[in-house]
Amino acid sequence: MSTTSISINASLTAMQTASYNISVSSANVANADTEGYTAKSTSNTTQMAGSTAVGVQSQALTNMVDQNLLDDLNEAANEAKYTETLQTGLENISNSLGSVSGDDSLSEAITDIETALLSLELDPASNSDQIVFVDSLNDLTTQLNNTSNDIQDQRAISDEDIETAISSVNSLLNEIDSLNEQIAIAQANGNSTLDLEDSRNTALQELSGYMNVNSFTDSNNQLQIYTEGGTALLLSEPQELSYEATSPVTSTTSFNSITVAGKDITSEITGGEIGASLELRDEFLPDLQAELDELASTLVDSINAISNKATSIPSPATLTSHQTVSASDAFTGSGTFRIAVTDSDGAVTEYADFDVSTYSTVQDFIDDLNSMAGVSASINADGYLEIITTTTDTGLSFNEMDSAVGGDSLGISNYFGFNSILSGDSATNISVSADLLDDPSLLPTAELNDSSTLSIGDTGLNSGDTSIISSLISTFSEDQSFDAAGNLGADTTSFANYATNITSALAVKTDSAITDAEVAVSAYDNLAASFANETGVNLDEEIAKMNAYQESYEAGAYILSTIQEMFDVLMNAVT
């Protein structure tokens, strides 16, 4: 190659490489704020002809991606979304349940009931105090109902979030699959794949925010993705996840499974937004529901055990059981039970003591009741045992005496649920008797005289009787037995303390979730900043490079121009 040819080639390749390098830097500057974009660079090498340098040429594009840092960033994205999702769900339900000790707390609602009872104890016949007690009890049951509904609503939200997130996961799997195909084509054509790899890395990071996955790039530069349990999500083609949210959601709802090609992979997803939503829906929230249900059911059993012994003054003309029965239902018990018909002043017009040990079916009890002249008993059309007086201006009252029915040794009135203040067996359905809400004067506050010498005309019910109210006060002030429920172990404590334990446990869990989210998000932000610093675009550097490339281009152009002038001089000399 002649000296002139070398000079021309050197100047042309200098201009070409400078132009190419300027285009690389220009692309970097243009994408400086593009998410996931990594700065590209190239190096120049000498173009040789034998042992002679004849010009310059650009090498293939490179970037500074550290795969270990990229893996750490994906894990951090997974943890950040997991903790943020938990935080949001727990904060929502904490706001519903109320503070630990504020005016909106469960324990404060229970304290209001105790205060109302203390006032009612001074005058059990006070209608205004009866109203305050019934209202305060209704406030508590309503709060339990509302919180239970909110728990199920939050579970429904989590379930819908899972469906939405899985749709996003499927879109990302298809996007990554498409990028795999584009990378394969670019490689086959000898083109750079770095920008496509940036897009693929960004999609994988977003996917990691939804669920925990394992991934690797094979020898053909194809990204393959699996669940942590080993189920393939993307090999030669994407394996889409299937899920459909359930509606409506209740405490007994059984949810659908997350599947891939018919395989249940629900248990394989423990991280990211989906993992947190599953944990909220299936663990945290059901545990809280179980704790509230234990509080509610213990309240119902404890309060009704007392109110079932009592009656209002004047006593009601009709008593209806709170459970359905059949006349042929087996019935075993022991002890004595007293029932009386009383007038509006509480005087006894008729009474009888029944030997419970003689019953073998519910019908035997009904027959004894019907043996009284002023009483009629039957099972109504709805299946409830109904007892009515057959004389005008009279009512019915019970004394459990020493009766005991069934394996739990309940008094006979307690067994059937006569004069129950509360109904339901969970936080979802606990409620104050509808009749009592309509007329608080029906509150059972007096217990039938249990004297062995009781006679017709004697006072059976005393309006000043405080024994029932005192028993209710003791129920709220003394320790009750609670079974293990949710995250709370079996305990013997007061209703107010148990309610505080529920709220406190949730508050601790919520505070922990907030802290964990702050730490996880900070860790992700720090890693993202480190990744950006390592791989991102430095505008100052790129501008400095472009200035240098421009100078190189101008130098090449100047050499070419000089050669042209030399040729012009030569041509003029020979003509």
Side-chain angles (χ1 to χ4, degrees):
M1 181 178 288
S2 67
T3 302
T4 301
S5 297
I6 292 173
S7 298
I8 293 172
N9 186 75
S11 60
L12 286 173
T13 56
M15 294 172 66
Q16 289 171 345
T17 56
S19 178
Y20 177 69
N21 289 337
I22 288 172
S23 69
V24 172
S25 288
S26 297
N28 285 339
V29 171
N31 287 282
D33 294 326
T34 301
E35 183 181 0
Y37 181 84
T38 60
K40 310 303 184 298
S41 62
T42 183
S43 58
N44 298 336
T45 59
T46 303
Q47 190 179 72
M48 303 293 291
S51 60
T52 303
V54 296
V56 64
Q57 61 186 17
S58 297
Q59 295 289 86
L61 283 178
T62 61
N63 58 11
M64 297 294 293
V65 173
D66 181 339
Q67 187 60 48
N68 290 330
L69 181 57
L70 190 60
D71 291 342
D72 290 343
L73 189 58
N74 290 338
E75 290 181 11
N78 181 269
E79 183 65 16
K81 290 295 291 184
Y82 172 82
T83 54
E84 283 182 311
T85 303
L86 279 185
Q87 175 189 346
T88 300
L90 290 174
E91 282 185 320
N92 287 344
I93 206 63
S94 291
N95 293 334
S96 171
L97 187 57
S99 59
V100 174
S101 58
D103 292 340
D104 60 346
S105 68
L106 277 176
S107 58
E108 185 63 25
I110 292 172
T111 299
D112 290 344
I113 295 172
E114 294 182 71
T115 302
L117 285 170
L118 289 170
S119 180
L120 185 60
E121 187 181 30
L122 300 176
D123 182 7
S126 169
N127 186 244
S128 61
D129 287 336
Q130 290 171 347
I131 292 173
V132 171
F133 168 68
V134 171
D135 285 347
S136 63
L137 192 59
N138 187 55
D139 288 343
L140 174 62
T141 59
T142 300
Q143 185 173 359
L144 287 169
N145 296 158
N146 291 340
T147 303
S148 180
N149 290 336
D150 288 344
I151 288 172
Q152 301 313 319
D153 287 346
Q154 183 59 53
R155 293 181 77 206
I157 290 170
S158 294
D159 194 45
E160 291 166 2
D161 287 346
I162 291 169
E163 183 179 57
T164 301
I166 284 176
S167 177
S168 297
V169 166
N170 289 334
S171 295
L172 288 166
L173 288 172
N174 281 286
E175 179 183 345
I176 294 170
D177 180 55
S178 175
L179 289 166
N180 275 343
E181 292 178 0
Q182 294 175 59
I183 287 170
I185 294 171
Q187 284 183 164
N189 293 330
N191 297 325
S192 173
T193 63
L194 294 182
D195 287 338
L196 292 171
E197 290 175 33
D198 285 346
S199 297
R200 189 172 66 179
N201 288 336
T202 299
L204 179 61
Q205 183 180 324
E206 188 177 351
L207 176 63
S208 297
Y210 286 113
M211 61 183 289
N212 46 312
V213 295
N214 290 327
S215 64
F216 71 93
T217 304
D218 65 18
S219 59
N220 295 318
N221 199 12
Q222 297 292 287
L223 183 64
Q224 298 187 1
I225 304 173
Y226 299 82
T227 67
E228 286 198 350
T231 301
L233 299 180
L234 177 60
L235 293 178
S236 58
E237 61 182 20
Q239 302 295 312
E240 293 192 353
L241 286 68
S242 297
Y243 186 74
E244 183 177 352
T246 302
S247 181
V249 173
T250 69
S251 60
T252 59
T253 295
S254 295
F255 295 96
N256 296 318
S257 298
I258 302 171
T259 61
V260 171
K263 177 186 176 183
D264 184 355
I265 64 163
T266 309
S267 62
E268 297 180 33
I269 304 176
T270 57
E273 181 182 328
I274 298 175
S277 295
L278 286 169
E279 196 162 358
L280 280 167
R281 188 196 71 182
D282 299 339
E283 295 181 32
F284 286 147
L285 296 175
D287 283 346
L288 178 60
Q289 181 71 59
E291 293 162 8
L292 293 172
D293 287 348
E294 179 62 17
L295 173 62
S297 63
T298 306
L299 272 167
V300 171
D301 292 343
S302 300
I303 291 175
N304 286 346
I306 296 171
S307 68
N308 293 152
K309 301 177 185 178
T311 187
S312 58
I313 300 179
S315 54
T318 302
L319 290 173
T320 305
S321 69
H322 268 223
Q323 67 168 355
T324 57
V325 294
S326 173
S328 60
D329 286 347
F331 189 95
T332 58
S334 62
T336 303
F337 173 76
R338 175 172 290 181
I339 181 171
V341 178
T342 55
D343 63 22
S344 57
D345 295 323
V348 175
T349 62
E350 183 181 0
Y351 85 96
D353 290 340
F354 298 133
D355 183 358
V356 178
S357 66
T358 63
Y359 304 149
S360 58
T361 65
V362 170
Q363 185 62 53
D364 293 333
F365 178 47
I366 293 173
D367 291 342
D368 253 358
L369 292 171
N370 285 325
S371 68
M372 298 179 63
V375 175
S376 175
S378 62
I379 296 174
N380 65 24
D382 295 323
Y384 295 94
L385 176 56
E386 190 173 73
I387 310 171
I388 62 175
T389 60
T390 58
T391 53
T392 306
D393 296 329
T394 59
L396 294 164
S397 56
F398 293 139
N399 190 302
E400 297 274 40
M401 307 294 275
D402 60 349
S403 61
V405 180
D408 293 330
S409 298
L410 302 175
I412 197 167
S413 179
N414 190 204
Y415 177 80
F416 286 103
F418 294 117
N419 287 315
S420 290
I421 291 177
L422 297 175
S423 63
D425 58 6
S426 68
T428 301
N429 60 20
I430 186 175
S431 64
V432 178
S433 163
D435 291 339
L436 198 55
L437 287 173
D438 291 339
D439 185 2
S441 68
L442 295 177
L443 183 68
T445 59
E447 190 170 12
L448 177 63
N449 190 331
D450 63 356
S451 172
S452 60
T453 59
L454 183 66
S455 300
I456 303 301
D458 288 350
T459 298
L461 300 170
N462 185 344
S463 61
D465 184 1
T466 62
S467 60
I468 294 299
I469 303 302
S470 295
S471 294
L472 286 172
I473 291 171
S474 296
T475 294
F476 280 94
S477 62
E478 296 175 356
D479 289 346
Q480 304 295 321
S481 294
F482 296 91
D483 293 333
N487 287 314
L488 298 179
D491 197 4
T492 302
T493 188
S494 68
F495 285 118
N497 284 342
Y498 190 78
T500 298
N501 291 343
I502 294 174
T503 311
S504 296
L506 179 60
V508 168
K509 189 170 292 184
T510 302
D511 288 343
S512 178
I514 292 171
T515 300
D516 289 346
E518 289 174 350
V519 171
V521 171
S522 177
Y524 170 75
D525 289 342
N526 290 336
L527 279 170
S530 296
F531 186 78
N533 289 336
E534 181 178 300
T535 66
V537 176
N538 185 312
L539 290 176
D540 292 337
E541 288 182 2
E542 295 299 332
I543 291 171
K545 286 179 181 179
M546 282 195 287
N547 288 333
Y549 299 146
Q550 184 178 359
E551 291 177 359
S552 178
Y553 186 92
E554 290 172 350
Y558 178 76
I559 293 171
L560 196 60
S561 175
T562 300
I563 294 172
Q564 179 65 49
E565 290 177 3
M566 291 172 61
F567 270 113
D568 289 345
V569 170
L570 230 95
M571 291 297 293
N572 289 333
V574 297
T575 57

